[in-house]
Amino acid sequence: MGKKPGRPRDWSERQLINGIPWRTRTAAPWRDVPVRYGQWETIYGLLRCWQREGTCSSY
């Protein structure tokens, strides 16, 4: 198996996914999501992508 193209990820998918319920549970603004979950823009983008696909509609 070869090396994947592109830049390596800074955050694991698990960290990003854990950021979504944290933000929902606390009702905090997106910008207040702790850095341990990843950049808020990345978490928000992941959620929006899932919402558009119909993968995640409960958040």
Side-chain angles (χ1 to χ4, degrees):
M1 299 191 68
K3 187 176 177 184
K4 291 183 179 182
R7 189 169 56 168
R9 294 179 182 205
D10 292 331
W11 311 101
S12 72
E13 286 186 20
R14 175 55 50 201
Q15 286 173 293
L16 298 174
I17 292 168
N18 286 343
I20 295 170
W22 181 91
R23 191 269 174 177
T24 305
R25 185 175 61 250
T26 61
W30 280 106
R31 292 180 185 268
D32 291 345
V33 173
V35 176
R36 69 177 177 262
Y37 295 121
Q39 294 178 332
W40 73 267
E41 297 97 332
T42 306
I43 299 167
Y44 176 77
L46 179 65
L47 175 62
R48 290 296 298 141
C49 181
W50 287 349
Q51 286 176 331
R52 282 188 219 109
E53 292 175 347
T55 303
C56 182
S57 61
S58 63
Y59 287 104

